[in-house]
Amino acid sequence: MTDDPSRRKVLQNTGLSVGAALLSGVPGGHPAAQAAPRGDDPSPVVTLPAGQLRGAVEEGLTVFKGVPYAAPPVGALRWRPAQPHPGWSGTREATAFGPSAPQLYREGGDAVLGTHGSPPFDEDCLTLNVWTPRADNAKRPVMVWIHGGGFISGSGSLPIYSGETFARDGDLVVVTINYRLGPLGYLYFGEDGASGNFWLTDQLAALRWVRDNIAAFGGNPDDITVAGQSGGALSVAALAGARPKGRPLFRRAILQSPPLGLQIPTPAESLQRSATFLEILGVKDVAQLRTLPWQQLMGATVEMFKRTGRWGYWATPYLPVLDGVTLDRHPSDLLLDGPGADIDVLIGWTREEANFAFALNETYTAATKDQVLPRVRDTFGNRATEAYSAYEEARPGARPVDVLMDLISDDLFRMPALALAERRAARKRPVWAYQFDLPTPAHNGQLAAAHCLELPFVFDNFDKWSHAPFLTGLNPRVRDGLTATMHAAWISFVRTGDPNHHAMPSWQRYERDSRTTMSLDTVTAATGDLAGYWRRLHQSTAS
């Protein structure tokens, strides 16, 4: 078998040296590092239909924090779709973040990402935050960021997701949101005409708020990009199916490591999972659940991991549901026709996604070939032995856990993302693809180019990531060069629908005849059919 170029480090003769990457411009004549002038008012006030908001000026940007976009989902509204916020009288202070959605929390976090959500937590969490160069009439492009976290963690107020860098460097208006997580966002009970996906109703409410209010913050409601990573990227795809009255909710989408390989449960399957949750807590129905404090609900998540987990699969105790009301198809299908067909899409993955969850887990690092083969058989059926050998040969010195991790990366992230790019290209719909290839030396290189590793490069904010062990040891020169390239590409896409800028090689759309995929590494280079061997291997099994 030939060596797989997407799984080895090769410095190519073509492409951009990291030292040449500069944040000095983007297509369309918009300077990438020049924000609008700072406003003179240190306490800017905007007037919205819900009432007045007072923000603050922080390092030259106008910032509004903890802005409610929906009614608090508490009491009788727990496990109900998001409801309109009633508004307020007088001027509401918007200078402090609102509480994060309730979630599990461990001081110090884990050995990969560190922490991903910090107190305070509260069910009254449906707020958003806005960064803008100035609350004026400039009609700037808008970027809405949806955090990931396996459907159980994260917050729009985390410093790592601050909109500061994008607002300043791209002259953009940036919005980050909180939404319900874990059991409060993802349990399904078949109430209210079988509606579910309360997390999705939150996000839709936030997008409608942005569409209706962002002009007051200097943004253009007709020029919105929704971006997200991991579970947040799956959210972006799910939102593409929204059929709003009037203008679309957004025109561009950035999907970073979307887990499109997840099988979304049916209502019956989701009800069974909810029954497991009820059993753990010893209650008989959702009415009793509504009487319990959220802390008790979060505590049941530990047992949910144990009861719903499967060996060789990424643990997801809570999942969306195909309820037929808020979600009637797999999210990836929603970017192919209907409202989602006309959305510009930028999609990508990291080369070793699954190393994030498995590379440091002793249960998996000690796995044998006999343990891994049944998991390979789940994907490849009677071709499991052949597929195992293919994955083994692609990594010199591969252990069984390496085969497993590469298979999970392909099953959950890379192959379904490629399939979406293939299907959009076949329909002549715009899509750009990338693979993040730069490995981290942390943990003796065991994590490689793991899930989440591209985030600080995209946001250009390594100073906010001091808590994250998986960034230890990165070469500053390599890090900063690739960061400049990626950050400017994301800004360009938000501004123009095209990620190209002058300080990187030409990034062509993903087309069926070329399959251009940008390899983001020490040398950034456009590669034709980067994962072609693996795509054909998986396609032959599917057929």
Side-chain angles (χ1 to χ4, degrees):
M1 192 188 104
T2 56
D3 185 24
D4 171 27
S6 75
R7 298 200 188 280
R8 58 188 169 88
K9 310 303 295 175
V10 177
L11 292 180
Q12 304 187 36
N13 291 326
T14 59
L16 176 71
S17 167
V18 293
L22 298 173
L23 264 177
S24 57
V26 295
H30 300 288
Q34 179 180 334
R38 172 177 173 169
D40 296 328
D41 184 1
S43 301
V45 175
V46 296
T47 301
L48 310 176
Q52 286 192 324
L53 284 175
R54 177 179 288 110
V57 173
E58 299 180 3
E59 299 186 18
L61 294 171
T62 300
V63 184
F64 296 82
K65 300 175 181 176
V67 181
Y69 65 81
V74 299
L77 293 184
R78 183 190 275 182
W79 293 303
R80 304 283 190 193
Q83 299 298 309
H85 194 276
W88 56 88
S89 59
T91 300
R92 182 185 180 106
E93 293 295 321
T95 56
F97 292 117
S100 298
Q103 56 195 270
L104 290 177
Y105 175 71
R106 183 176 66 184
E107 190 74 36
D110 59 51
V112 180
L113 196 60
T115 56
H116 192 246
S118 300
F121 304 119
D122 196 278
E123 282 190 83
D124 182 1
C125 62
L126 301 187
T127 61
L128 53 77
N129 315 293
V130 182
W131 288 261
T132 179
R134 193 169 182 176
D136 53 18
N137 297 317
K139 300 189 102 174
R140 298 174 182 84
V142 179
M143 175 180 172
V144 178
W145 176 258
I146 303 178
H147 71 79
F151 313 127
I152 61 170
S153 73
S155 173
S157 62
L158 287 172
I160 59 175
Y161 301 137
S162 169
E164 172 189 352
T165 53
F166 276 105
R168 177 177 294 112
D169 301 337
D171 193 23
L172 306 173
V173 178
V174 182
V175 180
T176 64
I177 68 173
N178 291 346
Y179 57 96
R180 282 174 279 183
L181 300 171
L184 292 168
Y186 291 84
L187 285 181
Y188 173 72
F189 300 103
E191 294 188 316
D192 300 330
S195 66
N197 296 313
F198 307 109
W199 60 277
L200 184 57
T201 70
D202 297 345
Q203 295 173 5
L204 283 167
L207 278 185
R208 293 187 184 103
W209 186 97
V210 172
R211 179 194 60 191
D212 296 341
N213 293 280
I214 206 64
F217 300 86
N220 183 351
D222 296 317
D223 194 4
I224 295 171
T225 298
V226 183
Q229 186 265 350
S230 192
L234 187 80
S235 297
V236 175
L239 291 164
R243 298 177 182 272
K245 296 178 182 179
R247 57 179 178 262
L249 289 175
F250 59 105
R251 64 187 299 186
R252 301 186 184 105
I254 300 176
L255 292 85
Q256 299 173 211
S257 301
L260 297 177
L262 282 174
Q263 298 300 308
I264 308 300
T266 65
E269 292 167 336
S270 292
L271 285 172
Q272 183 57 50
R273 190 167 287 217
S274 297
T276 299
F277 190 83
L278 290 169
E279 181 184 327
I280 291 170
L281 285 171
V283 297
K284 64 179 183 179
D285 55 28
V286 64
Q288 283 189 309
L289 274 186
R290 286 195 175 98
T291 67
L292 300 182
W294 65 256
Q295 293 88 344
Q296 194 170 346
L297 303 179
M298 294 303 125
T301 294
V302 176
E303 183 64 21
M304 281 290 287
F305 268 106
K306 297 177 182 178
R307 298 208 192 180
T308 62
R310 297 172 60 195
W311 196 93
Y313 289 85
W314 203 298
T316 50
Y318 307 105
L319 288 167
V321 54
L322 293 174
D323 63 358
V325 179
T326 59
L327 196 62
D328 60 2
R329 288 180 289 165
H330 194 284
S332 60
D333 294 335
L334 298 173
L335 286 163
L336 297 175
D337 52 38
D342 296 326
I343 293 172
D344 299 329
V345 173
L346 173 63
I347 189 170
W349 54 89
T350 70
R351 191 180 57 194
E352 287 95 6
E353 295 272 8
N355 288 33
F356 177 96
F358 298 90
L360 305 182
N361 186 317
E362 293 181 359
T363 299
Y364 287 102
T365 56
T368 66
K369 181 176 179 179
D370 287 342
Q371 287 176 292
V372 173
L373 263 175
R375 172 62 183 86
V376 181
R377 195 169 293 116
D378 287 351
T379 298
F380 287 96
N382 59 13
R383 298 182 61 223
T385 301
E386 174 190 347
Y388 186 100
S389 296
Y391 277 101
E392 189 176 43
E393 292 173 22
R395 267 206 216 197
R399 305 162 297 165
V401 68
D402 297 318
V403 172
L404 177 65
M405 290 189 297
D406 287 347
L407 173 68
I408 295 170
S409 296
D410 276 353
D411 273 359
L412 192 55
F413 299 101
R414 187 163 70 153
M415 290 303 110
L418 274 173
L420 176 59
E422 288 277 314
R423 291 192 292 167
R424 280 187 66 91
R427 290 164 169 78
K428 305 300 181 184
R429 300 299 185 182
V431 58
W432 282 261
Y434 72 87
Q435 178 170 289
F436 185 88
D437 286 323
L438 182 71
T440 175
H443 294 290
N444 297 315
Q446 295 177 74
L447 295 173
H451 192 62
C452 293
L453 187 58
E454 90 288 0
L455 283 167
F457 293 84
V458 166
F459 277 84
D460 189 10
N461 63 352
F462 278 86
D463 59 314
K464 309 294 187 186
W465 288 80
S466 59
H467 66 284
F470 76 156
L471 297 177
T472 302
L474 281 172
N475 182 310
R477 179 177 173 274
V478 172
R479 180 197 73 191
D480 294 346
L482 182 55
T483 297
T485 298
M486 292 180 63
H487 186 57
W490 264 240
I491 287 172
S492 178
F493 185 80
V494 173
R495 294 200 65 94
T496 70
D498 186 328
N500 283 281
H501 58 89
H502 84 281
M504 71 181 301
S506 176
W507 188 346
Q508 299 299 313
R509 282 167 50 166
Y510 190 98
E511 304 282 3
R512 294 294 291 273
D513 59 346
S514 60
R515 295 187 168 95
T516 300
T517 306
M518 189 62 73
S519 172
L520 300 168
D521 203 341
T522 52
V523 172
T524 297
T527 305
D529 208 5
L530 180 65
Y533 175 85
W534 304 101
R535 177 177 53 79
R536 290 186 291 272
L537 181 68
H538 281 255
Q539 284 177 339
S540 64
T541 300
S543 61

